[in-house]
Amino acid sequence: MDGALAWIDCTVDAEHPAGDHVIVVARVTGLDRHDDGGPLVFFRGAYGGFRA
């Protein structure tokens, strides 16, 4: 995705039906970050960040 702070490559190891959802268990095969931007955090119904 353009503008993403990081990326993760995974391979799917298993999929488990869970009602109207599917729980996916995956193995991380690679990851990296693109820049020094801060993470986007969603907590208690609102977006925020971390303070240093």
Side-chain angles (χ1 to χ4, degrees):
M1 288 186 199
D2 290 337
L5 295 176
W7 58 267
I8 301 174
D9 277 338
C10 298
T11 57
V12 175
D13 283 348
E15 295 183 21
H16 304 281
D20 63 347
H21 292 73
V22 176
I23 298 170
V24 177
V25 179
R27 183 177 311 272
V28 175
T29 57
L31 58 107
D32 200 1
R33 62 187 181 129
H34 291 292
D35 61 36
D36 293 330
L40 178 62
V41 179
F42 189 78
F43 180 66
R44 293 187 177 170
Y47 288 101
F50 294 106
R51 289 185 220 155

